[in-house]
Amino acid sequence: MASRRRGHDRPGVSSPADDDGRGESINQRLDRNWQEMLQELRVMQTGIQILTGFLLTLPFQSRFTELDDVQVAVYLCLVCLSALITALVLTSVNLHRVLFGLRVKATLVRHTGAMIRTTIALVGLVLAGTAWLIFDLVLNRAAGLTVAGSVLVLVLVLWVAYPLAVRRRAIRQRSSRQRT
């Protein structure tokens, strides 16, 4: 594994374990990975912009004054999380700008991957928190907590358990094809 990592840090060097049949150099793979990450960031940016826009309009609604202290605190946390998510999404772009021309695309891809994982986790919290706030306001606190918990479980299943299961299956299938 260490030699594989070293190969990713040296432009043009890849190990046989890195070959996925595309015939790419390590630089081509890093460029492709970066482009795929940018597409993921675009999707997240659009979603979080819509969610943040929704949150930012709430104080201008007539019922906002009816929120109790807990609801206001959750609302403010959600706004802060949404701002943090927006900053994380834009950090990858800024990081690219700062590292541009230094021939350290592996570093950029690695750090952007970490930011994307963090962003996805925070988006899950904002989704659950927003659902909690709406159900708490419209119905009651118990309904809000139930829905928030359900959203968190759903996010964990869809964004963690399911992808890991698909990944394990794909690795097993790839291994069995390589043995034959």
Side-chain angles (χ1 to χ4, degrees), residues 105-122:
K105 180 110 5 134
T107 299
L108 175 65
V109 168
R110 188 172 54 255
H111 285 271
T112 297
M115 281 185 265
I116 288 172
R117 285 187 297 278
T118 302
T119 300
I120 289 170
L122 293 175

Side-chain angles (χ1 to χ4, degrees), residues 82-103:
S82 290
L84 175 60
I85 292 167
T86 301
L88 278 171
V89 167
L90 295 174
T91 296
S92 295
V93 176
N94 186 60
L95 188 60
H96 177 265
R97 185 61 16 226
V98 170
L99 298 177
F100 185 77
L102 296 178
R103 297 181 180 178

